[in-house]
Amino acid sequence: MARESSRAGIADVARLAGVSLSTVSRAMNGNPTVDPALAQRVQAAAAELGYTANPVARSLVLGRTQTVAVVIPDLENPTFQAILRGLSRAATADGYHVLVADSREDLDEEHALARTTRLRTDGVILCAPRMAEQDLAQLLPSLSPAVVINRGPQETAPTVGADYGAGMRDIVDHLTSLGHRRLVYLAGATRSVTHRARQRAIAAAIARTAGLEVEELTAGVDIDSGTAAADRVLASGATAVIAYNDLVAMGLLSAVTARGIDVPGALSITGFDDIPFAAYTSPPLTTDAVPAVEIGAAAWAAMHAQLTGVAPRSTHTMTPTLVVRGSTAPPSAP
């Protein structure tokens, strides 16, 4: 004979509170149509019996999963990890779960993941810096509610991100203030809107700084990309390098140091993002700190506002902070 469970059920709560099953369900799910006195009675009965609502049943009643999807291009990148950390902590505090999908820098995969994860979640937070603007505009309405990270303003979804142009301006100004006039920019994701923001900042710096030359070399977004660019950087005659991100800078730093090049005596190197490892390279890396954890938390705030019927802030842009360390110095005398 099967042993009956001693766990209290919704019928027990209804019996103790003297209300119907539907009233218990609505009260436990926070339905505002329930009389406050009844809701309090139901909550007291539930507490006395140790009853908690079944999350699956609750989802069916509310028509929600209490889960949001986050689509990112590269889970191995520490900056995206920090964004996820800020986002997931904030979502958890509000009683939500986060489903993470890694598109592996594949635009077709990015589209597919955004659509399929939306079918199983209450909304999508999309970090898609490489997606074409027209494609993004066509995709967003099918994902609603949605939030976009590190893109310009969108008509159908709030955006959260960093001002990469301002960050690049700070880096170039730092190098020129040291006396550098021949720079190399190791371009990473050339389809990315953040790359174009960097390019605009460099062009503006060239226009306002006498004698400044910046050569753009295509690289990549990881450590191997920086390592592979070392010979081209050294052949350029530049006295300073602006890497697309810290990972690229770290790869370059390792490669030129192995060739006997003094950093920063013979070559200054800067990164971007200020990932946790940047302070522990040799020498420590000068970089621009992107508030990635805060970006993640702000992205969740924009999503939560939509889920709770509140109008979210349409655009939330944060400014990176220049962090000067030992990898930059004035150029050596010719």
Side-chain angles (χ1 to χ4, degrees):
M1 184 175 179
R3 182 178 178 181
E4 293 185 2
S5 171
S6 60
R7 181 179 178 181
I10 189 172
D12 301 306
V13 177
R15 189 179 303 110
L16 181 60
V19 298
S20 67
L21 293 176
S22 63
T23 298
V24 174
S25 178
R26 288 185 292 120
M28 295 299 293
N29 288 320
N31 191 313
T33 63
V34 180
D35 179 85
L38 279 181
Q40 185 175 6
R41 202 160 80 209
V42 169
Q43 295 289 348
E48 181 178 336
L49 295 171
Y51 170 79
T52 55
N54 183 302
V56 175
R58 186 174 188 272
S59 295
L60 291 173
V61 170
L62 294 177
R64 288 187 178 178
T65 64
Q66 295 296 113
T67 302
V68 295
V70 183
V71 180
I72 60 170
D74 182 8
L75 190 52
E76 293 182 353
N77 188 308
T79 298
F80 293 128
Q81 293 173 8
I83 289 173
L84 284 173
R85 184 161 60 251
L87 196 157
S88 61
R89 286 175 178 173
T92 298
D94 285 327
Y96 279 77
H97 304 288
V98 174
L99 172 66
V100 180
D102 182 355
S103 66
R104 299 169 297 180
E105 301 282 358
D106 185 322
L107 287 179
D108 291 335
E109 183 76 0
E110 201 165 63
H111 277 264
L113 284 173
R115 285 194 168 96
T116 56
T117 56
R118 179 62 183 92
L119 298 175
R120 307 197 303 270
T121 61
D122 299 332
V124 175
I125 297 173
L126 185 62
C127 189
R130 318 330 179 209
M131 190 180 294
E133 195 65 38
Q134 182 177 355
D135 293 341
L136 181 61
Q138 291 176 347
L139 175 64
L140 286 176
S142 67
L143 305 181
S144 183
V147 177
V148 184
I149 293 177
N150 281 339
R151 297 294 299 241
Q154 303 294 318
E155 289 187 6
T156 58
T159 60
V160 177
D163 187 341
Y164 284 83
M168 179 60 83
R169 182 187 64 231
D170 289 344
I171 289 175
V172 176
D173 287 350
H174 166 65
L175 292 173
T176 56
S177 71
L178 293 174
H180 294 280
R181 289 299 181 271
R182 295 191 66 183
L183 312 180
V184 159
Y185 165 47
L186 289 182
T190 54
R191 293 177 299 181
S192 168
V193 294
T194 63
H195 162 67
R196 293 193 289 275
R198 289 167 167 90
Q199 284 182 316
R200 289 192 295 270
I202 290 172
I206 292 173
R208 70 173 180 269
T209 308
L212 177 61
E213 300 175 11
V214 183
E215 180 179 359
E216 181 176 314
L217 299 177
T218 302
V221 298
D222 55 17
I223 289 178
D224 289 343
S225 300
T227 301
D231 290 337
R232 289 182 293 151
V233 167
L234 296 177
S236 72
T239 60
V241 179
I242 303 168
Y244 183 79
N245 62 23
D246 292 341
L247 295 176
V248 176
M250 290 164 64
L252 176 65
L253 176 60
S254 176
V256 299
T257 301
R259 289 164 170 76
I261 305 300
D262 177 31
V263 177
L267 183 69
S268 288
I269 297 175
T270 67
F272 210 112
D273 288 336
D274 196 26
I275 63 175
F277 314 115
Y280 301 101
T281 57
S282 184
L285 190 63
T286 293
T287 185
D288 223 56
V290 173
V293 172
E294 290 80 2
I295 288 173
W300 169 251
M303 174 57 72
H304 189 248
Q306 295 177 86
L307 294 172
T308 54
V310 178
R313 186 172 176 177
S314 60
T315 303
H316 190 168
T317 304
M318 303 182 192
T319 304
T321 304
L322 180 68
V323 180
V324 178
R325 299 193 180 104
S327 68
T328 51
S332 56

